[in-house]
Amino acid sequence: MTYCVGLLLNEGMVLLADTRTNAGFDNISIYRKLYTFEEPGERVIAIMTAGSLSVTQTTLAKLREAIEDDDATPETSIMLALTMLKVAEIVGARLAEVRAEVDQKLSAMQGASASLIVAGQRRGEGMRLFLIYPEGNFIEATEDTPFLQIGEHKYGKPILDRVVKPATSLADAQKAVLLSMDSTLRSNLSVGMPLDLVVIERDSCKVCFRRRIEAGDPGFRRMSEAWSAALRDGFAHISI
């Protein structure tokens, strides 16, 4: 299990992912789930992954292989695609293709599944944020729904519903996704540190801020403790 969240705001995009992967209660590993591809000033693409590790890693490997192919075209490479919509289509097609291949190999077992969040911007085009389903189809974030989540999302959704709007600042957005993750970490042991945080400012077409938050990070711990105290204080002052 995992938890990844992406915000699409007027000022830019904020992305956060955990790194815990479970293969049973006694086999817990750390794998990066947030990947970025950049041609600074021209395009930036970020992909977050949840689900079967074999499906997500193979999908990312195929996407990289297409990028490095000397015969790559705008129809096959996310770094040559003419729009972010085409990027989402390429990623969705690769995900569906890999999932079908893995399902066939694991036909005697429960089928493998995975989902992705794709975010980015190409120069001259607006920022876009997509959630790609295991079948390869996708939905897009809008002004009415300016955030998307994959993985264990239910614990971290309430704070996002209450505070995240398109006009939310990038600073407040970072606080919101970190508190959303904190709620998830407290309620589900299958989500864990370290965390990867990425900020992409509007029209920069590059990653403007990147941070790896390790277990025991003092800043994250202070934020978590302050949020817990604020919730307890608010609860104590509410009457019925």
Side-chain angles (χ1 to χ4, degrees):
M1 188 53 72
T2 187
Y3 177 47
C4 303
V5 56
L7 276 54
L8 178 67
L9 310 167
N10 295 340
E11 293 183 7
M13 294 181 286
V14 177
L15 312 170
L16 180 68
D18 85 315
T19 55
R20 177 165 291 185
T21 297
N22 287 13
F25 291 110
D26 60 347
N27 185 8
I28 298 174
S29 301
I30 293 174
Y31 284 93
R32 181 177 296 276
K33 299 170 188 174
L34 197 166
Y35 304 86
T36 57
F37 305 83
E38 294 179 85
E39 186 180 347
E42 289 295 322
R43 75 178 66 210
V44 58
I45 298 167
I47 299 177
M48 295 188 287
T49 68
S52 167
L53 194 62
S54 62
V55 172
T56 58
Q57 287 199 337
T58 303
T59 300
L60 267 295
K62 286 183 176 290
L63 291 171
R64 289 195 183 98
E65 184 178 60
I67 291 171
E68 296 166 2
D69 187 352
D70 292 337
D71 297 322
T73 72
E75 297 296 315
T76 62
S77 170
I78 61 174
M79 295 303 286
L80 296 178
L82 299 182
T83 66
M84 279 302 300
L85 178 62
K86 185 60 183 178
V87 169
E89 291 175 351
I90 292 172
V91 175
R94 293 293 79 74
L95 177 60
E97 172 189 295
V98 170
R99 177 175 174 266
E101 291 174 356
V102 173
D103 276 353
Q104 185 175 11
K105 293 175 182 176
L106 301 178
S107 57
M109 304 168 58
Q110 183 179 359
S113 184
S115 54
L116 309 174
I117 287 178
V118 175
Q121 185 176 20
R122 178 179 176 273
R123 185 169 61 86
E125 183 186 16
M127 301 178 301
R128 302 183 79 169
L129 179 69
F130 301 91
L131 189 161
I132 302 182
Y133 294 106
E135 297 77 15
N137 56 317
F138 52 83
I139 61 171
E140 184 172 3
T142 66
E143 286 192 1
D144 294 326
T145 308
F147 65 88
L148 296 173
Q149 302 166 282
I150 53 176
E152 189 58 87
H153 63 271
K154 58 182 177 289
Y155 303 107
K157 189 172 186 292
I159 184 173
L160 300 179
D161 285 332
R162 286 181 168 88
V163 306
V164 174
K165 308 296 180 187
T168 300
S169 70
L170 292 178
D172 283 348
Q174 292 177 63
K175 180 165 55 177
V177 296
L178 288 170
L179 291 177
S180 175
M181 181 65 76
D182 178 65
S183 297
T184 306
L185 291 169
R186 285 177 173 269
S187 299
N188 194 313
L189 293 177
S190 67
V191 177
M193 309 284 274
L195 311 175
D196 287 315
L197 176 69
V198 161
V199 177
I200 301 170
E201 295 178 5
R202 175 179 292 276
D203 297 330
S204 66
C205 291
K206 66 179 182 179
V207 173
C208 299
F209 178 76
R210 188 192 307 269
R211 180 184 174 194
R212 164 66 62 106
I213 303 171
E214 301 285 352
D217 180 88
F220 184 76
R221 184 175 64 251
R222 284 194 300 271
M223 179 181 291
S224 175
E225 292 171 352
W227 179 236
S228 294
L231 288 174
R232 288 192 296 268
D233 183 62
F235 179 81
H237 284 82
I238 292 175
S239 59
I240 57 172

